[in-house]
């Protein structure tokens, strides 16, 4: 007998609030269904948290990963043997199969494992089948999540309802389907799975007969699931509606943004659509609003790059440029620097596209290129507000670059980003944008570059059997003038990935920053002003201790924080140009 209601149990465990329950009850009166499912729909609790409480309430075990069938044939063959159709099982939100392990048992996974009709029908089917491999006393009912159930149902080839599939659907019908429970549940579960895996992006890619969902986790794309093509239009419409996009426009690229609540957490959702041969490819970025900014030391900023950037931050004016490709963590570095500089004694204004983190006591401005409010125009406007420190999200053109440089010369500290492959490569990039060498030399205080590599899982990494490559590359770096002897004074700890449940068998968990930074001193200013070659500029920086991204990565691999293979994957191809 169930003594407590699910809402009371969730409140007792601190998973929801009484207000969440009241909101769910109001929504349930309008849309029906179970209170737990309603709590998921309004974003008050995640499905993983809910099923754990439900399992305790029901007295039923959760479906464990090791109990999943090894082959899809086990699912279809078991259903055929028992005379149970996929349609009936789908209506019961259930899937069943014969377990792999001994003693042999029949596992029945369902969203509602206590349902009388499900249990009575399965029990009767087992008795009638008289299969020696399936015994009545060995039926194991398990509580499954919707994600598990959908994956298992896909293996059974369950078709979608007719009005949920097809390309020839009116815009009005698409809008209706986007508001229906199956579509809302699918999208919410997709977000939950992404958050659980700590994914930064979701890629939804349609093809002729299916569409694939992939997640970018620690910078690497992994396939989450493949679904029938018939679901795609309704799913895409739901996502576009959530992000304020036009669902009727399917021929042109679009961008959208919205705030959503999932699993009790507020998220910023940024969506981009790109029309393809088989439909619109969607890329979604999920930004946690409550996520605190990581400490730069914890991210991996140390040694010579840390000393250079810390020295640059002490200046009252000048430009600090952080370079690197999209997704390399440049914005996070700038935000962290702003938090450190935000002492309440100086006025700080940012101009961004988009505003990714909301920061206290800082005026943040969102540019709107569609109405002509560009970085250059925004920068001009904020300079009239008497700021001490300015952050420009990105220098994209010569006009913005020149305004930023001249703002630095008139007493402002300007932080910004630039797309180049190396820190010192920003000099040539600024010249390409039209800045004169003397303006670059007199305004820029420091050039920095960064990349993100995967951090070795501390639970399963093992000593590397082949550390010769890393040792050889470090020796070559010393020959090229790298001042890294002091960083190599301790005993090496080369390690390699292994794989465990904590890291989803990848051998890596979370990410680590690689950095290079050059402080612009008098000698480097002279080299920039006289248009020295890149090799001369690098040699000048080397004399002040400059280290490349590769060298920083190898030193971190030597300490056992990442692997040599991971460093080579991210920055290996750029080694020559970094020191050329």
């Amino acid at each position: 007998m169930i003594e407590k209601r699910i809402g009371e149990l969730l409140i007792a465990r601190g998973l929801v609030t009484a207000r969440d329950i009241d909101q769910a009850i109001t929504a349930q009166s309008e849309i029906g269904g179970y209170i737990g499912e309603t709590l998921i729909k309004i974003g008050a609790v995640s499905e993983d948290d809910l099923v754990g409480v439900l399992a305790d309430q029901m007295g039923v075990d959760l479906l464990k990963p090791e109990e999943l069938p090894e082959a899809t044939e086990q699912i279809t063959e078991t259903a055929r043997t028992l005379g149970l159709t996929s349609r009936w099982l789908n209506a019961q939100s259930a899937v069943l199969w014969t377990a792999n392990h001994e003693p042999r048992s029949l596992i029945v996974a369902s969203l509602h494992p206590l349902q009388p009709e499900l249990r009575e029908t399965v029990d009767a089917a087992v008795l009638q089948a008289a299969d020696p491999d399936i015994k009545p006393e060995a039926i194991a009912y398990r509580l499954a999540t919707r994600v598990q159930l959908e994956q298992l149902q896909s293996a059974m080839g369950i078709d979608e309802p007719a009005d949920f599939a097809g390309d020839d659907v009116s815009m009005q019908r698409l809008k209706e389907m986007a508001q229906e429970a199956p579509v809302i549940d699918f999208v919410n579960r997709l977000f939950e799975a992404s958050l659980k895996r700590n994914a930064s992006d979701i890629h939804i890619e349609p093809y002729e007969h299916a569409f694939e969902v992939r997640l970018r986790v620690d910078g690497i794309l992994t396939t989450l699931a493949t679904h029938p093509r018939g679901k795609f239009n309704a799913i895409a419409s739901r996502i576009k509606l959530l992000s304020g996009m036009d669902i009727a426009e399917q021929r042109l690229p679009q961008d959208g943004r919205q705030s959503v609540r999932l699993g009790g957490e507020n998220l910023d959702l940024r969506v981009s659509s790109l029309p393809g041969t088989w439909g619109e490819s969607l890329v979604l970025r999920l930004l946690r609003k409550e996520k605190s900014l990581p400490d730069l030391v914890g991210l991996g900023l140390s040694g010579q790059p840390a000393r250079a950037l810390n020295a640059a931050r002490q200046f009252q004016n000048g430009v600090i440029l952080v370079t690197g490709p999209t997704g390399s963590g440049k914005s996070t570095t700038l935000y962290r620097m702003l938090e450190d500089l935000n002492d309440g004694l100086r006025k700080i204004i940012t101009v961004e596209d988009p505003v990714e983190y909301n920061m206290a006591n800082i005026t943040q401005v969102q540019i709107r290129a569609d109405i002509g409010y560009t970085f250059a125009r925004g920068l001009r406007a904020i300079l009239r507000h008497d700021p001490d420190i300015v952050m420009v999200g990105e220098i994209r053109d010569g006009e913005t670059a020149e305004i930023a440089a001249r703002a630095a010369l008139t007493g402002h500290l300007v932080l910004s980003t630039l797309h180049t492959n190396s820190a010192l490569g920003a000099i040539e990039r600024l010249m390409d944008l039209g800045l004169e060498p003397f303006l670059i030399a007199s305004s820029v205080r420091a050039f920095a570059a960064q990349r993100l590599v995967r951090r070795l899982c501390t639970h399963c990494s093992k000593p590397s059997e082949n550390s010769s490559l890393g040792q050889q590359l470090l020796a070559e770096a010393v020959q090229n003038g790298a001042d890294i002897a002091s960083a190599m004074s301790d005993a090496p700890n080369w390690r390699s990935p292994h794989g465990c449940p904590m890291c989803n068998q990848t051998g890596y968990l979370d990410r680590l920053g690689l950095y290079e930074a050059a402080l612009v001193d008098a000698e480097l200013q002279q080299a920039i002003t006289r248009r020295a070659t890149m090799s001369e500029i690098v040699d000048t920086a080397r004399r002040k201790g400059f280290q490349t991204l590769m060298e920083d990565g190898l030193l971190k691999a030597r300490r056992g924080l990442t692997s040599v293979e991971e460093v080579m994957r991210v920055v290996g191809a750029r080694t020559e140009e970094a020191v050329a």
Side-chain angles (χ1 to χ4, degrees), residues 233-250:
N233 285 341
I235 301 302
S237 296
R238 173 66 185 170
I239 292 170
K240 290 172 73 175
L241 281 176
L242 275 178
S243 52
M245 298 161 70
D246 182 3
I247 68 169
E249 180 55 76
Q250 300 177 359

Side-chain angles (χ1 to χ4, degrees), residues 201-264:
D201 301 89
I202 306 170
H203 293 245
I204 305 176
E205 302 159 331
Y207 301 103
E208 184 176 7
H209 301 297
F211 72 94
E212 190 171 63
V213 178
R214 297 197 289 172
L215 305 180
R216 189 175 294 281
V217 180
D218 292 339
I220 302 295
L221 277 176
T222 58
T223 299
L224 177 67
T226 300
H227 298 278
R229 178 62 175 80
K231 286 184 175 183
F232 177 76
N233 285 341
I235 301 302
S237 296
R238 173 66 185 170
I239 292 170
K240 290 172 73 175
L241 281 176
L242 275 178
S243 52
M245 298 161 70
D246 182 3
I247 68 169
E249 180 55 76
Q250 300 177 359
R251 299 167 299 171
L252 296 173
Q254 292 188 70
D255 293 304
R257 183 173 183 176
Q258 188 58 273
S259 294
V260 295
R261 186 170 183 245
L262 287 168

Side-chain angles (χ1 to χ4, degrees), residues 450-476:
Q450 68 180 78
R451 300 290 187 276
L452 293 176
V453 295
R454 292 177 294 172
R455 190 189 294 264
L456 282 170
C457 176
T458 57
H459 303 278
C460 66
S461 68
K462 58 183 181 180
S464 178
E465 296 178 358
N466 183 14
S467 60
S468 58
L469 176 60
Q471 293 171 348
Q472 176 189 340
L473 291 172
L474 282 176
E476 292 176 359

Side-chain angles (χ1 to χ4, degrees), residues 30-91:
E30 299 174 359
I31 63 177
Y34 293 90
I35 188 69
E37 294 174 345
T38 307
L39 284 165
I40 293 175
K41 288 176 182 176
I42 67 172
V45 68
S46 68
E47 186 181 22
D48 285 342
D49 287 338
L50 176 67
V51 295
V53 178
L54 279 174
D56 291 343
Q57 184 199 39
M58 295 178 180
V60 177
D61 290 334
L62 287 170
L63 179 63
K64 301 179 181 64
E66 59 267 25
E67 293 178 318
L68 293 171
E70 293 179 353
T72 57
E73 290 77 12
Q74 290 175 257
I75 300 175
T76 53
E77 184 59 36
T78 302
R80 190 181 302 112
T81 300
L82 297 178
L84 300 173
T85 66
S86 60
R87 291 282 182 184
W88 182 84
L89 288 167
N90 187 34

Side-chain angles (χ1 to χ4, degrees), residues 111-369:
L111 299 181
H112 314 294
L114 297 184
Q115 196 87 300
E117 182 183 352
L118 172 66
R119 291 190 168 229
E120 290 170 6
T121 304
V122 171
D123 289 349
V126 169
L127 288 172
Q128 291 176 8
D131 190 318
D133 285 337
I134 306 177
K135 304 185 185 308
E137 64 273 15
I139 302 176
Y141 289 90
R142 298 286 186 263
L143 177 63
T145 66
R146 284 191 179 273
V147 172
Q148 289 173 324
L149 191 68
E150 280 189 351
Q151 292 173 343
L152 294 168
Q153 286 176 332
S154 295
M156 296 177 65
I158 296 174
D159 298 325
E160 294 298 327
D163 63 351
F164 194 61
D167 291 324
D168 299 326
V169 182
S170 67
M171 286 299 112
Q172 181 59 36
R173 181 56 189 142
L174 275 179
K175 288 181 181 178
E176 293 172 357
M177 286 192 293
Q179 303 292 343
E180 292 176 356
V183 179
I184 294 173
D185 290 344
F186 182 98
V187 174
N188 286 350
R189 290 194 299 276
L190 174 58
F191 290 159
E192 284 182 12
S194 304
L195 292 176
K196 182 180 178 182
R197 298 188 185 205
N198 201 29
S200 60
D201 301 89
I202 306 170
H203 293 245
I204 305 176
E205 302 159 331
Y207 301 103
E208 184 176 7
H209 301 297
F211 72 94
E212 190 171 63
V213 178
R214 297 197 289 172
L215 305 180
R216 189 175 294 281
V217 180
D218 292 339
I220 302 295
L221 277 176
T222 58
T223 299
L224 177 67
T226 300
H227 298 278
R229 178 62 175 80
K231 286 184 175 183
F232 177 76
N233 285 341
I235 301 302
S237 296
R238 173 66 185 170
I239 292 170
K240 290 172 73 175
L241 281 176
L242 275 178
S243 52
M245 298 161 70
D246 182 3
I247 68 169
E249 180 55 76
Q250 300 177 359
R251 299 167 299 171
L252 296 173
Q254 292 188 70
D255 293 304
R257 183 173 183 176
Q258 188 58 273
S259 294
V260 295
R261 186 170 183 245
L262 287 168
E265 188 173 1
N266 293 317
L267 306 168
D268 266 345
L269 176 67
R270 286 162 47 190
V271 182
S272 178
S273 70
L274 183 68
T277 304
W278 302 109
E280 293 178 286
S281 176
L282 300 173
V283 176
L284 299 77
R285 173 156 290 186
L286 299 175
L287 299 171
R288 287 177 162 90
K289 284 190 173 182
E290 288 83 9
K291 186 176 180 179
S292 59
L293 283 170
D295 181 78
L296 289 180
V297 174
L299 265 179
L301 182 61
S302 60
Q304 181 271 331
R307 291 191 295 271
L309 285 179
N310 287 334
R313 284 188 298 181
Q314 306 309 313
F315 288 102
Q316 297 301 308
N317 58 72
V319 179
I320 300 175
L321 277 178
V322 181
T323 72
T326 301
S328 60
K330 302 186 300 296
S331 296
T332 300
T333 296
L334 291 187
Y335 279 124
R336 183 73 256 182
M337 291 174 69
L338 283 182
E339 279 207 343
D340 294 341
L341 292 166
N342 188 14
D343 54 9
L345 303 176
R346 292 173 285 188
K347 180 167 180 121
I348 303 175
I349 307 179
T350 73
V351 53
E352 309 173 55
D353 181 28
V355 175
E356 295 187 13
Y357 291 94
N358 295 319
M359 307 183 74
N361 302 320
I362 293 178
T363 303
Q364 296 176 268
V365 179
Q366 167 75 53
I367 74 162
R368 291 286 304 275

